[in-house]
Amino acid sequence: MISQFLIDDKIQDVTKNKDFSKPQLSIQTEMNPPLLEKIDTPAQLRSLPEHQLPQLARELRDFLVKTLSRTGGHFASNLGVVELTIALHYIFNTPEDRLVWDVGHQSYPHKILTGRREAMSSLRQLGGIAGFPKRSESVYDSFGVGHSSTSISAALGMAIANQQRGLNHRKTVAIIGDGAMTAGMAFEALNHAGDLDANLLVILNDNNMSISENVGGLSKYLVKVLSSPLYASMRENSKEILRRIPTMRELAKRTEEHLKGMVVPGTLFEELGFNYIGPIDGHDFSALLPTLRNVKALKGPQFLHIITQKGKGFPSAEENPCSYHGVTAFDPETGKMLAKSSKIPTYTQIFGNWLCDMAAEDERLMGITPAMCEGSGLVKFSKQYPDRYFDVGIAEQHSVTFAAGLACEGLKPVVAIYSTFLQRAYDQLIHDVALQNLPVLFAIDRAGLVGADGPTHTGSFDIAYLRCIPNMLIMAPSDENECRQMLTTGFKYDGPSAVRYPRGVGIGVPVESKLSSLPIGKAELRRQGQKVALLVFGTLLTTALKAAEMLDASVVNMRFVKPLDTEIIMQMAEQHDLLVTIEENIIMGGAGSAVNEYLQAQGQLIQVLNLGLPDKFLEHGNTDTLLAKCGLDAKGIVVAINKYLNN
């Protein structure tokens, strides 16, 4: 134990006069040769002397800036974990020891240090590496992620599995961001882990853009003591002695908690059964390395709290981390995005403008988002109507039941949520909203393919999982103006409703300023043709119209998934030889299945071809390319129909 402190002191001596938290230019000299280009595995990283790690951090940060300025991707979050990632791979024996990243959009430094540096040029592109950890991509990616707050549960499962298999030498580390700690699942896992007394390390990466006053000399000393083997031994031995004297044991426990609570905010985690350590500066190797080394040797559940700065080392990202959370290609010198802004609004912007307009007309409207204010288009609304705007954190289940409570008391909640995230609140959607037939409008963004974010964010399933729920009104707009009309329709509907719309811009149709509704359950015939009728749900209507010109087919903009316009379906069935349903949703259980079910129930014998997303998880890549691979471009639709007719 004494030798351990001596090692720690030596580390402090090497680093105490250097400020590694400030970004520095990585200018190489003969005395300072480049390091990153020689690191292809963590084993090579661990061969470096500790005094070279700050240089490696600067090179890694520079590499991130240069690479992401060309490819785009998650930016600020990755800049914030450079030192932490290096320190974890330096102290732990990866991949034998398991690192479980939460959400995963801060895993780029991890990918670079684990043999994927050269592949970063293909990041989030078709056939390239994923933007999130992916088990099939690397042995170092111990758990695939994309949604938040899963790391502690997964890491706990791994830790228990290690115990069951007799692999007690293997360490398991969950790295969770402060945003992900707002979800109930994270606390469920913490509660379970503390009860099991598992050998698990949870690292809270607290990147709230400020360094708390606790990150100072006193805190660093306390962290060193609290993570040391001597303290841990005394703590456990004292517990064993006092266990026989219940009153004294409780007094000692309370005394320890109150003393620690005076200088560190760890009482909650201590109550859950964790040994809380921190907070420490997550950019300071002189704090990170000895603390991780000490914690690695401790038994039982440990909780390490570190403070990092999102966007670290890139001024524009430091000043505005939200804007630089996810970036397109940008100028690495100025930080200015290179992509030209479109004059055509995105569907997200259409929703944001509608929300403000409807709020001005109806004071009962309440806007809710589970931590996606910017992504879901609520920034304008949050500023204009702060008392009616609720960001509940990454807590999708709570957002839906919270909306149900508002609706019970006469308000009109609008839940702005991504299709892939609404899946996380499915029970609440059924039992708390639909079962009670409450007027909650779900504005479902990112429906269909999402491109570079890949399968974890693709909205493939919402039609299928919504249409089987009683009382649901489900709409799929074909363009921007229809999206606005459907939002109004859903808001005025006396029951649960959903409008699903895609990521990206529309087709450029004029958007009316008035707040008009559509007749519920009524489709529109957009083209009259021969033999083949295309029944289109959503924004693939424009593509379908192009295909129809080549086929001389009829085209119906179905608009409503539930209720279906059964009158027009029967009309098309009587006038044509083949009905083709088209949707940017999984075919199994989708809108096409609803058409099949209706026709079968009516005894209508007509051939039906269902086109949509296949029964598999689609990889990341350009959206248009992926649609073409699925046969959902105009050419693919024509080919599929001709093949069906020829057979």
Side-chain angles (χ1 to χ4, degrees):
M1 286 181 278
I2 296 176
S3 61
Q4 179 66 60
F5 279 114
L6 290 175
I7 293 172
D8 293 346
D9 289 339
K10 288 180 181 179
I11 296 173
Q12 298 278 25
D13 289 340
V14 171
T15 58
K16 65 182 179 182
N17 294 321
K18 298 181 181 180
D19 185 358
F20 298 132
S21 63
K22 294 182 179 179
Q24 302 175 30
L25 294 176
S26 55
I27 301 174
Q28 308 298 340
T29 67
E30 293 182 1
M31 298 295 293
N32 188 29
L35 299 173
L36 183 60
E37 63 187 38
K38 300 177 182 178
I39 304 297
D40 292 314
T41 67
Q44 293 170 325
L45 166 64
R46 290 190 283 269
S47 70
L48 295 177
E50 291 181 6
H51 71 267
Q52 289 188 323
L53 298 185
Q55 176 191 332
L56 179 63
R58 292 192 294 271
E59 292 182 28
L60 181 49
R61 194 166 270 118
D62 285 349
F63 182 83
L64 280 169
V65 171
K66 292 173 184 176
T67 300
L68 296 182
S69 69
R70 295 190 295 268
T71 65
H74 290 100
F75 186 59
S77 54
N78 283 290
L79 291 178
V81 297
V82 168
E83 288 83 4
L84 174 62
T85 306
I86 291 172
L88 285 169
H89 281 293
Y90 194 79
I91 298 298
F92 290 91
N93 184 33
T94 55
E96 180 73 8
D97 292 337
R98 309 303 199 198
L99 301 183
V100 184
W101 297 92
D102 212 286
V103 185
H105 59 228
Q106 76 280 40
S107 64
Y108 297 178
H110 162 79
K111 287 176 179 274
I112 293 167
L113 295 173
T114 54
R116 289 167 278 182
R117 183 180 67 253
E118 297 299 325
M120 285 295 290
S121 60
S122 69
L123 181 70
R124 305 185 345 135
Q125 299 169 30
L126 188 63
I129 62 173
F132 304 97
K134 186 176 180 182
R135 281 169 54 85
S136 62
E137 185 178 289
S138 172
V139 67
Y140 292 95
D141 292 357
S142 59
F143 195 74
V145 291
H147 290 186
S148 81
S149 315
T150 61
S151 62
I152 304 175
S153 296
L156 176 60
M158 293 176 185
I160 296 301
N162 291 336
Q163 290 179 0
Q164 293 289 325
R165 298 173 60 199
L167 301 174
N168 296 319
H169 64 282
R170 181 178 288 171
K171 308 299 179 183
T172 309
V173 184
I175 306 101
I176 185 167
D178 59 339
M181 285 297 292
T182 62
M185 184 175 177
F187 285 93
E188 291 171 11
L190 286 172
N191 181 60
H192 189 202
D195 183 60
L196 290 177
D197 199 33
N199 291 327
L200 170 69
L201 170 59
V202 175
I203 297 178
L204 173 60
N205 174 29
D206 187 350
N207 57 4
N208 61 357
M209 286 85 73
S210 66
I211 302 296
S212 87
E213 294 181 0
N214 284 328
V215 180
L218 176 60
S219 178
K220 186 179 292 187
Y221 172 76
L222 286 169
V223 166
K224 183 175 177 180
V225 172
L226 295 176
S227 66
S228 70
L230 176 61
Y231 173 81
S233 176
M234 292 175 61
R235 185 171 184 262
E236 293 305 313
N237 289 339
S238 297
K239 283 183 179 179
E240 181 60 27
I241 294 170
L242 294 173
R243 184 178 63 82
R244 305 174 187 279
I245 315 175
T247 305
M248 289 300 295
R249 178 176 179 272
E250 183 64 23
L251 176 61
K253 178 183 177 183
R254 295 299 179 188
T255 301
E256 179 192 32
E257 289 175 355
H258 290 309
L259 286 173
K260 291 176 73 172
M262 291 172 63
V263 287
V264 291
T267 303
L268 170 62
F269 303 107
E270 293 278 351
E271 289 288 350
L272 289 171
F274 279 76
N275 177 39
Y276 175 90
I277 301 163
I280 62 172
D281 185 347
H283 301 295
D284 182 358
F285 281 115
S286 69
L288 278 173
L289 295 175
T291 302
L292 286 174
R293 189 175 286 113
N294 283 340
V295 172
K296 181 182 178 181
L298 299 180
K299 302 295 183 181
Q302 309 295 320
F303 192 98
L304 175 60
H305 183 179
I306 71 167
I307 306 293
T308 61
Q309 182 175 18
K310 201 170 183 179
K312 183 70 176 176
F314 196 77
S316 300
E318 289 181 354
E319 294 168 8
N320 197 346
C322 288
S323 297
Y324 283 84
H325 172 73
V327 297
T328 56
F330 64 92
D331 184 335
E333 299 297 325
T334 64
K336 185 177 180 181
M337 304 296 170
L338 299 180
K340 295 181 180 179
S341 59
S342 173
K343 293 182 179 179
I344 301 175
T346 64
Y347 281 94
T348 302
Q349 290 170 330
I350 294 294
F351 165 72
N353 292 333
W354 171 84
L355 191 67
C356 291
D357 294 343
M358 183 57 74
E361 181 175 288
D362 193 329
E363 63 182 11
R364 297 175 300 166
L365 185 150
M366 301 288 146
I368 303 167
T369 176
M372 295 301 297
C373 178
E374 292 82 9
S376 293
L378 275 75
V379 174
K380 181 180 176 183
F381 177 81
S382 68
K383 294 177 179 178
Q384 290 188 9
Y385 300 96
D387 293 339
R388 296 157 67 183
Y389 163 75
F390 301 93
D391 183 344
V392 303
I394 304 178
E396 294 87 359
Q397 295 173 320
H398 167 61
S399 72
V400 173
T401 304
F402 172 61
L406 292 173
C408 282
E409 298 302 320
L411 298 180
K412 297 281 286 185
V414 178
V415 180
I417 192 167
Y418 289 9
S419 171
T420 186
F421 297 150
L422 183 56
Q423 295 164 185
R424 310 187 84 187
Y426 195 54
D427 182 69
Q428 289 71 26
L429 180 62
I430 295 173
H431 286 268
D432 299 338
V433 175
L435 182 62
Q436 302 184 90
N437 200 30
L438 294 172
V440 177
L441 169 61
F442 294 92
I444 304 176
D445 203 331
R446 270 62 167 183
L449 299 178
V450 294
D453 281 338
T456 59
H457 285 61
T458 295
S460 302
F461 309 109
D462 55 85
I463 289 179
Y465 70 66
L466 286 174
R467 78 174 190 86
C468 62
I469 303 175
N471 297 329
M472 287 295 303
L473 171 67
I474 310 168
M475 296 165 277
S478 62
D479 59 43
E480 306 96 304
N481 190 56
E482 203 165 71
C483 183
R484 183 176 172 91
Q485 292 174 323
M486 288 182 177
L487 288 166
T488 303
T489 304
F491 182 78
K492 294 182 177 181
Y493 180 69
D494 189 22
S497 60
V499 180
R500 53 118 50 188
Y501 47 89
R503 181 179 191 175
V505 299
I507 59 176
V509 302
V511 178
E512 61 187 24
S513 58
K514 63 180 179 179
L515 295 167
S516 58
S517 301
L518 294 173
I520 291 176
K522 291 298 178 182
E524 62 167 353
L525 180 65
R526 293 292 294 269
R527 188 185 191 279
Q528 184 65 57
Q530 306 292 324
K531 295 186 178 179
V532 178
L534 310 183
L535 309 182
V536 189
F537 297 85
T539 54
L540 289 176
L541 178 67
T542 302
T543 301
L545 285 167
K546 293 177 183 178
E549 291 294 328
M550 293 182 261
L551 295 164
D552 189 23
S554 297
V555 179
V556 178
N557 175 19
M558 290 300 294
R559 287 179 168 170
F560 292 84
V561 177
K562 190 176 184 180
L564 287 170
D565 187 339
T566 55
E567 183 178 336
I568 202 167
I569 291 174
M570 290 298 291
Q571 179 185 335
M572 293 296 104
E574 292 167 358
Q575 296 175 358
H576 299 80
D577 299 328
L578 172 66
L579 299 185
V580 181
T581 65
I582 301 174
E583 60 191 300
E584 195 174 336
N585 185 85
I586 200 81
I587 294 174
M588 297 178 68
S593 294
V595 174
N596 298 346
E597 292 161 10
Y598 172 73
L599 290 171
Q600 185 180 41
Q602 299 303 310
Q604 179 63 252
L605 301 178
I606 183 174
Q607 297 183 84
V608 182
L609 172 62
N610 301 132
L611 299 180
L613 300 180
D615 182 27
K616 65 179 182 180
F617 292 106
L618 297 170
E619 295 304 306
H620 50 274
N622 176 272
T623 300
D624 290 338
T625 303
L626 291 173
L627 283 172
K629 285 176 70 68
C630 294
L632 293 177
D633 59 346
K635 179 182 177 181
I637 291 172
V638 172
V639 168
I641 292 172
N642 284 332
K643 181 179 179 181
Y644 184 87
L645 291 173
N646 291 335
N647 288 339

